[in-house]
Amino acid sequence: MVFRRRSPRSLLQWLKNLAYPDGGWQRAGSYVWHRLRRLPDSPERIAKGIAAGVFISFTPLFGFHFVAAASIAWVLRGNVLAALLGTFFGNPFTFPLILVSAMETGSLILGKGHMLSPRGVVGSIKGMWQEVGHNAYAIFTPDPIIWDQTKLFFGEVFLPYMLGGSLVGSVVAVAMYFVSLPIIRAYRIRRARKLQKRFERARAASRKTDQRN
């Protein structure tokens, strides 16, 4: 299995690896690309899976990226594992660019001008979770249930993010499909040639051994 580990990680190690994987992001990126090239499937299906994972990386469906990417890959008849690996396009280095491009695009489409400031985005998210916690407590108390902050979050953050991310993500995903497809094909051809040469050398060595005997 690709994701199986010899020793299970603790929750603290898992959270740490989200921000900084073992060996650094360069090594993690090399590992993901190595796995993508050697998946046992057609280059077209692998490229579709990569595109699905990249697209989902531009959406605010945090916690559901794997499920959503796998679902889109299945609909497109792409490789599901490639889609899961493709979600690594969204990482701490690319996330700021994804966030700004998605929210700016969504805000412009909705006629809001520009996106909220980073402080406003963080404040909206914080206010929403505080309100959710308050409402959960209010179920058992006389306190009123209010959804003002939640409505503000969905209107000012989630909706622009989802709309803009879907548009920008579609463009980037299509580009990644056409970029990754010839690379995977070229790798497969080169690998097949290496295997053929290795086979021919082994056969030639075997013939020499038979002639000597």
Side-chain angles (χ1 to χ4, degrees), residues 12-105:
L12 183 61
Q13 289 175 327
W14 183 81
L15 292 174
K16 177 184 176 183
N17 289 153
L18 285 179
Y20 192 81
D22 295 333
W25 277 103
Q26 183 177 358
R27 181 179 177 183
S30 299
Y31 171 80
V32 170
W33 181 240
H34 173 73
R35 286 295 184 182
L36 285 171
R37 291 182 302 177
R38 305 195 66 173
L39 286 175
D41 209 338
S42 68
E44 290 78 12
R45 283 174 55 86
I46 294 173
K48 286 180 181 179
I50 294 174
V54 171
F55 170 77
I56 287 299
S57 298
F58 281 81
T59 67
L61 303 176
F62 303 112
F64 299 95
H65 277 181
F66 277 8
V67 175
S71 300
I72 293 177
W74 181 79
V75 171
L76 296 177
R77 295 185 178 181
N79 187 280
V80 172
L81 185 53
L84 301 184
L85 293 171
T87 60
F88 284 92
F89 184 86
N91 57 70
F93 295 104
T94 61
F95 178 70
L97 181 60
I98 290 174
L99 173 65
V100 172
S101 62
M103 288 204 61
E104 280 286 354
T105 301

Side-chain angles (χ1 to χ4, degrees), residues 150-169:
T150 303
K151 292 178 181 178
L152 181 64
F153 165 77
F154 276 96
E156 298 295 331
V157 178
F158 184 86
L159 184 58
Y161 197 156
M162 189 67 187
L163 183 60
S166 297
L167 180 60
V168 178

